[in-house]
Amino acid sequence: GDSSKTLGTTDDVSKLTLKELTGDMRELTIDFPLNYNIGDVGSNYSIPGSSKNVKIKVSSDGADGIFIDYLFDLADFRVANKYFIYDPTVTSPTASPTSNPTSSSTPSPMTAPTSA
């Protein structure tokens, strides 16, 4: 079933889908991993020292935009010679043809996002 909901003030999310209601009816999906990797600079980056949880908060800006906040453990960024890797996946399905084939240089406003 559809687990989408209207965005609240701040919500924890692991997946975010943005959809246009007018214009090209574009859609953008962001899948947020629930972990990030950290390790020592100079080590084998393909084998992280450890993985930690990240929280993602998404909130409306009150107009047509959103804020995405990534909550990492601050202690990981206070130590010299450490790295972190975090890589959300962003996808956009192939757009379907619209009834009006002309294009515009001004993007259509996007609706309030849904979160899963």
Side-chain angles (χ1 to χ4, degrees):
D2 185 8
S3 62
S4 64
K5 61 181 178 176
T6 301
L7 186 64
T9 305
T10 63
D11 290 318
D12 291 334
V13 297
S14 59
K15 182 176 187 175
L16 179 70
T17 300
L18 304 168
K19 298 178 183 182
E20 283 184 317
L21 295 180
T22 61
D24 292 335
M25 306 294 286
R26 295 174 295 182
E27 184 175 307
L28 179 76
T29 299
I30 307 170
D31 286 300
F32 299 100
L34 300 177
N35 298 295
Y36 64 100
N37 296 329
I38 59 173
D40 295 319
V41 171
S43 65
N44 183 346
Y45 296 113
S46 66
I47 304 172
S50 65
S51 292
K52 292 195 172 180
N53 295 333
V54 60
K55 289 188 106 180
I56 294 86
K57 299 276 190 180
V58 178
S59 57
S60 172
D61 73 351
D64 290 331
I66 60 170
F67 298 108
I68 301 175
D69 296 310
Y70 300 88
L71 306 176
F72 299 101
D73 184 352
L74 187 57
D76 296 331
F77 301 96
R78 294 184 178 200
V79 179
N81 299 315
K82 293 283 187 182
Y83 73 86
F84 89 101
I85 298 174
Y86 182 74
D87 190 19
T89 302
V90 179
T91 56
S92 179
T94 305
S96 59
T98 61
S99 59
N100 183 358
T102 61
S103 64
S104 169
S105 61
T106 305
S108 302
M110 297 190 92
T111 64
T114 59
S115 59

